[in-house]
Amino acid sequence: MPSDTVSVTGWGRTAPTAARLVRPRSYAEAVTAVRECGARGGIARGLGRAYGDAAQNAGGAVLDMTGLDRVHAIDATPVAADGSAGGTVLCDAGVSLHRLMRVLLPLGWFVPVTPGTRYVTVGGAIGADIHGKNHHVSGSFSRHVASFELLTADGEIRTVTRGTPLFDATTGGMGLTGVILTAAVRLQPVETSLMSVDTERADDLDDLMARLTATDHRYRYSVAWIDLLARGAAMGRSVLTRGDHAPLDALPDRTRRHPLEFRPSRLPAAPSFVPEGLLGRTTVGLFNELWYRRAPRSRTGELQRISTFFHPLDGVPHWNRVYGRGGFVQYQFVVGYGKEEALRRIVRRISERRCPSFLAVLKRFGEGDPGWLSFPLPGWTLALDIPANLPGLGAFLDELDEEVAAADGRVYLAKDSRLRPELLDGMYPRLADFRTLRAELDPRGVFTSDLSRRLGL
């Protein structure tokens, strides 16, 4: 099967490491790749949208699973033969959410959970137990997975079902229990490929949290862009965007003829070379000011394309280049309800530090799912991007980690590239169970990554 030694990074384009990239094109080739990955082990990789080092393996093998991308079967009936809810897809783990949308939307179905990009694979969605704007209603991706086939370190393929320890260790387990080959995923019925969107401005962080707490239950999807450069009385000022799938009767006549058409917009790719410092405090401050001012104080029922509402950055290929050669750090944490003062302190510290982040979002999480390393817990989650070459960034984020840990919160491993390992046990209470199961299932450490070495997973 094809293989090359290449330099591999996460989407943040930091800390590249060299690995042997293997491209299996069949399940048999995937088995061979696992059995022959060598002393430094191997890790599965999808479309490379983990921001940090989760899909890197210095000196070892990286299995590019995007060649296994078949959609095997779709149950498009509203109710299954046994009376349970219908709408499921059985597909290879290398299938992207983008492809699923192209296939499923014309049939009246949508993926149950999508993050801010549709260019993630189903295997990656399970391994990171991704969440979206609907976590407060729908939970994480794994909640909608009925079963999957897992290639384990002994070269065997196991069918893994919900409610088993191996299911809970794999969902959110960052690929360290094995290679997911196929998955059966339950779907969301929709009448159209448009969204009905409400937009409003919040004056500051307290105003934002009050609005979210009071009215989030009315919406399936909810997210707030937050200006982390605003200070003083305007600290945490935000643009709150919420919505649901538009019903057919909400569409104008000209659109009703093709209500399930999926036409994502596309802009020119970001240039391969971007000057360092382009996204500094001045430029990001100007962007944030313009973005906040141009947002309506209150607008309801606007029809937007699915791609516009969920994945605006996907319209700009290679948008991660805009941070320059130094790349960027994506930092996401969650603190529970009742820990709002910790959230305020962290936002205040970021604001006072003048961190130039133009991709900062705040959301509310609902009940967490049973994955042992699944990130969400009921509470507030803030995600932000920061240029990696910002002076003193490492020490500053270490301090934020301490704040998060002291508030019984956690950092998202799918976006992490620098967390200190001594903080991990307190953030993930089931970590000991995860390590024990890994040791039993994979005593030789076949599945390993730069992330797992750094954090001692």
Side-chain angles (χ1 to χ4, degrees):
M1 75 194 80
S3 67
D4 301 287
T5 298
V6 298
S7 178
V8 182
T9 72
W11 191 245
R13 304 176 75 203
T14 60
T17 54
R20 182 169 55 90
L21 190 67
V22 184
R23 302 176 181 87
R25 293 295 185 265
S26 67
Y27 301 154
E29 288 189 355
V31 171
T32 299
V34 167
R35 288 176 172 168
E36 298 179 354
C37 61
R40 291 285 287 181
I43 194 70
R45 181 181 177 93
L47 289 167
R49 292 303 178 105
Y51 286 84
D53 53 4
Q56 298 175 218
N57 183 21
V62 171
L63 280 62
D64 179 346
M65 299 302 294
T66 56
L68 294 172
D69 61 351
R70 292 173 296 172
V71 176
H72 293 276
I74 300 171
D75 172 12
T77 57
V79 180
D82 62 2
S84 61
T88 59
V89 61
L90 175 65
C91 62
D92 285 344
V95 172
S96 69
L97 298 192
H98 172 80
R99 184 167 177 221
L100 285 184
M101 291 176 197
R102 284 203 175 278
V103 170
L104 296 170
L105 268 170
L107 303 176
W109 298 96
F110 190 62
V111 295
V113 170
T114 177
T117 174
R118 60 186 179 275
Y119 294 110
V120 298
T121 62
V122 169
I126 295 171
D129 199 15
I130 61 170
H131 56 271
K133 297 177 174 132
N134 59 341
H135 191 276
H136 63 294
V137 173
S138 302
S140 302
F141 193 86
S142 67
R143 185 178 300 185
H144 308 274
V145 175
S147 64
F148 52 80
E149 288 188 320
L150 185 72
L151 170 58
T152 50
D154 54 9
E156 299 298 318
I157 298 175
R158 310 182 186 206
T159 298
V160 184
T161 57
R162 294 186 60 81
T164 62
L166 188 51
F167 187 98
D168 293 343
T170 302
T171 54
M174 306 310 298
L176 297 173
T177 60
V179 179
I180 299 169
L181 296 178
T182 67
V185 182
R186 300 188 183 97
L187 304 171
Q188 168 70 34
V190 296
E191 294 183 14
T192 75
S193 60
L194 295 175
M195 305 295 297
S196 177
V197 181
D198 294 354
T199 304
E200 58 190 288
R201 290 200 320 225
D203 295 331
D204 55 37
L205 182 61
D206 286 339
D207 182 28
L208 172 63
M209 289 193 292
R211 291 171 187 251
L212 287 168
T213 301
T215 59
D216 241 12
H217 63 279
R218 302 176 188 170
Y219 298 90
R220 180 179 297 275
Y221 302 100
S222 176
V223 67
W225 169 87
I226 182 170
D227 182 0
L228 291 176
L229 284 175
R231 293 185 287 183
M235 185 192 79
R237 65 179 182 176
S238 309
V239 179
L240 179 55
T241 308
R242 296 182 286 187
D244 205 337
H245 298 278
L248 185 60
D249 60 13
L251 270 57
D253 291 340
R254 67 181 183 279
T255 309
R256 289 190 194 184
R257 291 192 293 270
H258 305 284
L260 292 167
E261 186 177 36
F262 181 52
R263 293 188 300 112
S265 57
R266 190 175 179 87
L267 297 172
S272 57
F273 173 76
V274 176
E276 295 297 323
L278 177 65
L279 296 182
R281 293 185 178 98
T282 301
T283 54
V284 172
L286 178 61
F287 170 87
N288 287 2
E289 182 70 26
L290 292 174
W291 191 261
Y292 181 76
R293 294 298 176 189
R294 72 182 290 273
R297 285 202 168 273
S298 180
R299 180 175 61 200
T300 61
E302 180 191 11
L303 293 178
Q304 294 183 5
R305 294 180 183 179
I306 274 176
S307 59
T308 302
F309 182 76
F310 288 108
H311 316 118
L313 286 175
D314 281 348
V316 184
H318 307 294
W319 63 263
N320 57 340
R321 293 175 181 170
V322 301
Y323 295 86
R325 291 178 179 175
F328 69 103
V329 173
Q330 177 86 183
Y331 184 68
Q332 183 169 5
F333 67 89
V334 58
V335 294
Y337 296 125
K339 303 290 185 176
E340 285 77 12
E341 190 52 43
L343 176 63
R344 292 186 187 94
R345 282 197 306 272
I346 292 172
V347 170
R348 186 177 300 112
R349 293 187 66 171
I350 296 170
S351 172
E352 291 172 349
R353 182 68 167 71
R354 307 291 287 158
C355 288
S357 175
F358 79 99
L359 291 176
V361 296
L362 184 74
K363 294 181 288 195
R364 295 173 76 247
F365 279 158
E367 290 299 319
D369 290 285
W372 293 348
L373 297 187
S374 184
F375 168 65
L377 56 82
W380 304 93
T381 181
L382 176 65
L384 61 146
D385 66 295
I386 312 171
N389 58 8
L390 190 71
L393 179 61
F396 177 67
L397 292 181
D398 284 346
E399 294 172 1
L400 296 191
D401 290 340
E402 297 281 358
E403 289 259 20
V404 171
D408 299 319
R410 59 183 59 150
V411 168
Y412 192 16
L413 298 183
K415 296 186 176 180
D416 177 56
S417 57
R418 25 79 36 214
L419 179 68
R420 303 199 316 273
E422 60 267 26
L423 294 177
L424 195 64
D425 290 76
M427 292 181 174
Y428 290 90
R430 299 298 301 272
L431 183 59
D433 295 326
F434 179 81
R435 287 172 170 150
T436 298
L437 185 142
R438 271 202 76 204
E440 295 172 352
L441 191 67
D442 184 8
R444 297 183 294 112
V446 171
F447 296 112
T448 189
S449 65
D450 292 354
L451 173 79
S452 69
R453 290 192 190 96
R454 176 170 55 84
L455 293 178
L457 293 173

